[in-house]
Amino acid sequence: MNTKPTINYGLEGIYVDESAISKVDGQNGKLWYRGYSIEDLAEKSNFEEVSYLLIYGKLPTKTEYEEFVTKLKERMDLPEEVKKVIKAMAPVAHPMDVMRTATSMLVMFDKDPSNKDLDATVDKVITLIAKLPTIAAATGRFREKKSFIPPDNSLGLSENFLYMLTGKRPNKFESKLIDLMFILHAEHSTNASTFSVLVTASTLADVYAATTTGIGTLKGPLHGGADESALNMINAIGNPDNTEKYIEEALEGKQRIMGFGHRVYKAYDPRAKLVRSYLEESLTKEPSDEVKKLLQIALRAEKLMIDKLGNAKGIWPNIDFFAGPLYRVLGIDSKLFTPIFVASRMSGWGSHIVEYWHNNKLVRPLEYYTGPLDVPYKPIEQR
Ligand code: ACO
């Protein structure tokens, strides 16, 4: 009889590859993209430059940056066929399902989708980085039975998203907030969605297939979907004075508190710290009563969770906890939170596909079989 091998459930603690794209230091709550600290990038860079950095492994020169941005701007609009499908789906389906379907459709408009040359792969990734924010914005518009707003070439990628969603050109602070969220969500090593992207890429399926896989994986509330679930919880708490009772009861009932805990971070997620600090800054800019209340609840929940589970169990706020209140500063509906995550994570997914195909190896792990063997087959009428 076989002895049972050691099984690392959920691949916890298992290294599946080498990568030079990002490093997460979970014990100390630090994150670097290509060696640059997330704090530096959040303060000094922008989403386009960060996307270039992730894909090419270096910061662009001025000319490289301009060429990259021009390519993105030329590709932001969507084929009419894709808009039609978004329009049909958006009023009835969750925006993540719309994103998945619309993104999958983009393969039809690529004349050579299975070309895996480096330049061709990078080109497909750039196309997807350009179009996913437009798909997310169009989904938001059609959900509310509003018309499609074409991208404005004078705006950056993330502020364009906000413009196409709301019809208003964002002010400087709003542009900074949305770009911050795009930068912070762009990459995070081998998380569940990036790993699933690589599993699909490892079969040598195309970039669109791999991206669609990633969107499906990101939807779940234990991963990207936690941003929407966390805001739902804050809304369910309703009144700041209910916060402690609600959280205590949820913990007693063994419920997960969405937006807390992380497989790798056993310290405060540095991205959550940045979102929290910008949220505090937004309090100086006459936020709505709704935002003030959300933040009061979030801060009380954070304090209680850290007191109870922070040092004791290594459960700290993750990026998804404060993301919802920050998106509400911008007036974005909670159903669009995870689609924004998709639009920004495309840079990370794409960079990983490019890196993985340098040395592709089919992903095929093992399972330890626990069922019977050699069971005699009975015809259906004898069962
Ligand atoms: N609330 C309450 N308890 C928690 C939480 C939480 N959010 N997270 C973990 N725990 C507890 C578990 O109940 C478990 O307790 P036990 O040992 O007494 O049984 C212990 O911490 C370990 O939990 P696991 O699920 O085994 O740890 P894992 O590393 O698999 O969990 C995960 C990571 C799934 C993210 C988890 O923390 C969670 O469910 N969080 C809520 C969902 C969430 O916010 N996800 C977003 C993550 S960030 C991202 O993907 C962008």
Side-chain angles (χ1 to χ4, degrees):
M1 211 178 97
N2 287 340
T3 42
K4 187 176 174 181
T6 305
I7 298 176
N8 290 63
Y9 292 95
L11 294 181
E12 185 162 4
I14 297 290
Y15 285 87
V16 293
D17 201 359
E18 293 172 24
S19 174
I21 300 175
S22 66
K23 173 160 174 68
V24 183
D25 174 351
Q27 292 309 318
N28 298 302
K30 289 187 183 302
L31 171 64
W32 298 262
Y33 294 170
R34 299 282 189 185
Y36 295 89
S37 79
I38 194 65
E39 292 80 9
D40 245 14
L41 293 172
E43 191 197 340
K44 299 172 188 159
S45 189
N46 63 41
F47 178 63
E48 287 84 340
E49 188 179 64
V50 163
S51 298
Y52 186 101
L53 171 69
L54 290 170
I55 296 169
Y56 294 99
K58 66 172 199 80
L59 286 173
T61 60
K62 197 163 182 294
T63 316
E64 287 165 339
Y65 176 77
E66 280 164 6
E67 278 173 17
F68 185 68
V69 169
T70 304
K71 270 191 197 164
L72 288 169
K73 288 191 170 174
E74 283 167 0
R75 300 177 191 192
M76 284 189 295
D77 211 346
L78 299 176
E80 286 307 315
E81 292 87 337
V82 175
K83 284 184 209 161
K84 272 191 197 143
V85 168
I86 299 174
K87 193 172 185 180
M89 282 185 80
V92 287
H94 189 284
M96 282 298 282
D97 303 330
V98 184
M99 287 292 287
R100 199 177 57 230
T101 305
T103 303
S104 181
M105 281 184 79
L106 293 175
V107 74
M108 297 196 306
F109 304 92
D110 187 324
K111 291 195 181 73
D112 194 8
S114 53
N115 186 344
K116 298 195 179 57
D117 292 351
L118 178 61
D119 287 350
T121 303
V122 168
D123 200 63
K124 292 170 203 313
V125 169
I126 293 172
T127 299
L128 283 159
I129 294 173
K131 292 196 188 306
L132 294 193
T134 316
I135 293 179
T139 303
R141 297 288 297 176
F142 289 137
R143 238 175 97 70
E144 293 183 8
K145 306 237 168 20
K146 292 179 180 157
S147 59
F148 177 79
I149 298 178
D152 174 344
N153 276 357
S154 69
L155 300 174
L157 213 65
S158 62
E159 49 182 6
N160 231 316
F161 160 76
L162 215 49
Y163 163 68
M164 291 184 286
L165 179 68
T166 63
K168 284 186 285 179
R169 277 177 185 67
N171 65 31
K172 214 166 157 220
F173 186 61
E174 290 165 338
S175 293
K176 178 65 206 169
L177 290 188
I178 192 66
D179 208 53
L180 171 85
M181 298 311 269
F182 270 65
I183 292 173
L184 298 183
H185 283 99
E187 159 60 13
H188 211 232
S189 79
T190 324
N191 53 83
S193 59
T194 303
F195 183 60
S196 72
V197 164
L198 291 183
V199 171
T200 301
S202 84
T203 71
L204 297 183
D206 58 67
V207 173
Y208 303 92
T211 302
T212 309
T213 303
I215 298 174
T217 310
L218 195 69
K219 185 183 177 191
L222 295 187
H223 188 17
D227 48 13
E228 183 186 334
S229 306
L231 191 80
N232 289 344
M233 182 192 76
I234 296 173
N235 278 327
I237 293 173
N239 177 336
D241 289 337
N242 289 341
T243 310
E244 289 75 13
K245 183 170 178 288
Y246 184 103
I247 302 269
E248 303 263 10
E249 282 176 8
L251 289 175
E252 273 161 31
K254 299 268 172 232
Q255 281 177 43
R256 299 273 159 137
I257 309 300
M258 292 295 156
F260 287 88
H262 196 275
R263 176 63 63 77
V264 184
Y265 288 123
K266 300 303 166 199
Y268 209 116
D269 179 340
R271 303 166 301 171
K273 261 190 202 161
L274 285 161
V275 179
R276 188 188 192 281
S277 77
Y278 277 89
L279 254 176
E280 285 184 325
E281 191 179 336
S282 76
L283 284 183
T284 63
K285 303 196 185 286
E286 297 177 19
S288 63
D289 288 345
E290 179 210 350
V291 167
K292 281 189 218 151
K293 192 169 76 178
L294 292 176
L295 192 55
Q296 279 172 22
I297 295 173
L299 292 175
R300 281 171 76 156
E302 178 207 32
K303 181 172 184 325
L304 182 74
M305 285 294 285
I306 292 177
D307 287 350
K308 280 187 156 293
L309 300 176
N311 287 323
K313 265 187 148 180
I315 295 173
W316 298 84
N318 61 53
I319 186 169
D320 288 330
F321 187 60
F322 291 112
L326 188 129
Y327 287 133
R328 290 304 303 148
V329 173
L330 298 169
I332 300 173
D333 186 285
S334 64
K335 291 267 187 293
L336 291 176
F337 296 172
T338 322
I340 299 174
F341 198 155
V342 170
S344 34
R345 185 53 60 88
M346 184 61 223
S347 302
W349 291 339
S351 310
H352 279 274
I353 297 171
V354 171
E355 184 183 64
Y356 199 80
W357 279 347
H358 276 302
N359 191 17
N360 191 66
K361 174 92 177 162
L362 176 74
V363 177
R364 204 310 183 186
L366 299 172
E367 268 179 341
Y368 181 71
Y369 178 68
T370 57
L373 294 172
D374 298 330
V375 181
Y377 180 85
K378 271 190 196 164
I380 195 162
E381 32 322 313
Q382 291 173 27
R383 285 174 219 159

